[in-house]
Amino acid sequence: MASATDRFFARFEGTGTPYPLAIFRVAFFVGVALHFFPSLITLDDAYRRGALRSDEWSHWLYLRFDDLGPGTLRLMSIVTMLACVCGAIGLRTRVAAIVAGLGVYSFASFNGLPVQTLALVNTWAIFLLWGLVGGGSGALSVDAWASRETPVEPRLLPGLILAQTLIGVFFAGIEKLLAGWPFVNEMGVLLSYPKGFLLRDWVTQVGLLHHPLVTRTFTWFTIVVEVGAPPLLLWKRTRLAALIAYEAFFLGIIAMLEVPPLFYCMFAFGALLALDDDDVSALVARSRALRSRFGK
């Protein structure tokens, strides 16, 4: 029997079903588009000469902004948006990831105000992995349709993206433990923010969500999911339960907090990369059985 080490590294070796990565690819590039396209379409609002700017990423690019004319910026925005579209539909995905990654990183460096979010740290890492490793077009893509080959995908890229995603979530939980979350009601503080500041409006109007027992439950649920779900997603016996808890956690975040869709598209769909071939086959078989049952 394979050792635990061999089973762990098998996630990065060989080939497997392409569908989890294909779903993540669509979600990731759509999330990037939703986050960046508003400022890239109305370019003058954030990227005109004299606009209020924030130096968030590459200081060198920030300083080079004044050397670029409006026509050059418009061309860069069009190329960047086209690359995101190509990534979403799976057309030359590696090239699309490189071009889109360079484009959005440049615009975030020119002015961080319209796009700045902590989720960008993970975004840059995923774009870098995609450019270095390639892949992601094995299914649900123009490339797969054109090749008409049996859909398979090397496991290296989805394994690396999964590791990148889960490491970020896990250490977010560790930081909360070090900050003393188990001993204070941090979610109670968060949910007491006024209307129009971080919380979605409906959250401020539901009194039950502000009860100390509920907020303390949210606090502990956050820690348990962030620390517990990443390792449990890698263990087959606990994968389904961990995935349900993990997805419920991120669905709750996007439903209650005013975080950008990119955050959800990246972290929620990133956990699907933990599914192996057997998991996907079981889900397909179950969905077919349900369709057959209700079809009658």
Side-chain angles (χ1 to χ4, degrees):
M1 295 180 64
S3 67
T5 302
D6 291 337
R7 291 196 299 271
F8 175 80
F9 283 104
R11 186 173 295 278
F12 306 95
E13 300 168 342
T15 59
T17 177
Y19 289 100
L21 182 58
I23 294 171
F24 175 80
R25 187 201 74 239
V26 174
F28 175 72
F29 279 97
V30 168
V32 171
L34 291 173
H35 192 70
F36 281 92
F37 278 20
S39 63
L40 294 181
I41 293 172
T42 58
L43 204 58
D44 288 342
D45 291 348
Y47 302 106
R48 70 180 186 276
R49 298 289 179 85
L52 180 63
R53 296 194 295 138
S54 174
D55 185 0
E56 300 292 346
W57 295 97
S58 170
H59 182 65
W60 183 85
L61 285 171
Y62 178 80
L63 295 177
R64 299 286 82 76
F65 172 79
D66 290 329
D67 299 333
L68 302 174
T72 302
L73 286 172
R74 176 54 67 187
L75 178 61
M76 290 177 60
S77 71
I78 293 173
V79 171
T80 300
M81 289 188 288
L82 286 176
C84 288
V85 172
C86 288
I89 65 175
L91 177 61
R92 300 293 186 268
T93 309
R94 187 178 199 170
V95 175
I98 293 172
V99 175
L102 290 174
V104 295
Y105 182 80
S106 297
F107 279 100
S109 298
F110 294 153
N111 188 4
L113 284 176
V115 296
Q116 181 60 20
T117 172
L118 287 176
L120 291 185
V121 177
N122 217 52
T123 304
W124 309 144
I126 291 173
F127 271 128
L128 180 60
L129 288 172
W130 225 307
L132 291 174
V133 178
S137 297
L140 308 179
S141 69
V142 173
D143 289 347
W145 175 82
S147 67
R148 301 185 184 280
E149 297 178 353
T150 303
V152 292
E153 186 75 52
R155 291 194 179 100
L156 181 57
L157 179 62
L160 291 173
I161 294 176
L162 177 66
Q164 168 68 29
T165 303
L166 296 187
I167 286 172
V169 173
F170 177 78
F171 281 101
I174 295 297
E175 286 295 323
K176 289 178 176 63
L177 286 174
L178 296 177
W181 270 50
F183 310 105
V184 292
N185 189 2
E186 285 291 340
M187 289 301 295
V189 175
L190 176 63
L191 293 177
S192 67
Y193 286 175
K195 184 178 180 179
F197 185 73
L198 187 59
L199 298 178
R200 299 200 182 277
D201 289 347
W202 73 269
V203 177
T204 63
Q205 300 169 2
V206 180
L208 179 62
L209 294 178
H210 304 276
H211 191 281
L213 179 61
V214 174
T215 55
R216 287 188 181 277
T217 301
F218 286 163
T219 298
W220 275 97
F221 182 66
T222 299
I223 296 171
V224 169
V225 170
E226 290 187 344
V227 176
L232 293 179
L233 279 168
L234 302 179
W235 191 23
K236 197 171 185 65
R237 293 183 179 180
T238 57
R239 185 170 298 149
L240 179 58
L243 183 62
I244 292 172
Y246 182 97
E247 296 299 334
F249 172 66
F250 280 97
L251 183 61
I253 290 177
I254 197 70
M256 298 176 67
L257 305 181
E258 292 183 343
V259 297
L262 174 61
F263 177 87
Y264 182 79
C265 290
M266 189 161 46
F267 286 99
F269 285 89
L272 298 180
L273 299 175
L275 300 174
D276 59 21
D277 293 12
D278 293 339
D279 297 325
V280 174
S281 297
L283 289 172
V284 170
R286 185 169 298 179
S287 65
R288 287 176 177 172
L290 288 173
R291 285 201 304 269
S292 175
R293 177 180 178 183
F294 290 103
K296 296 178 180 179

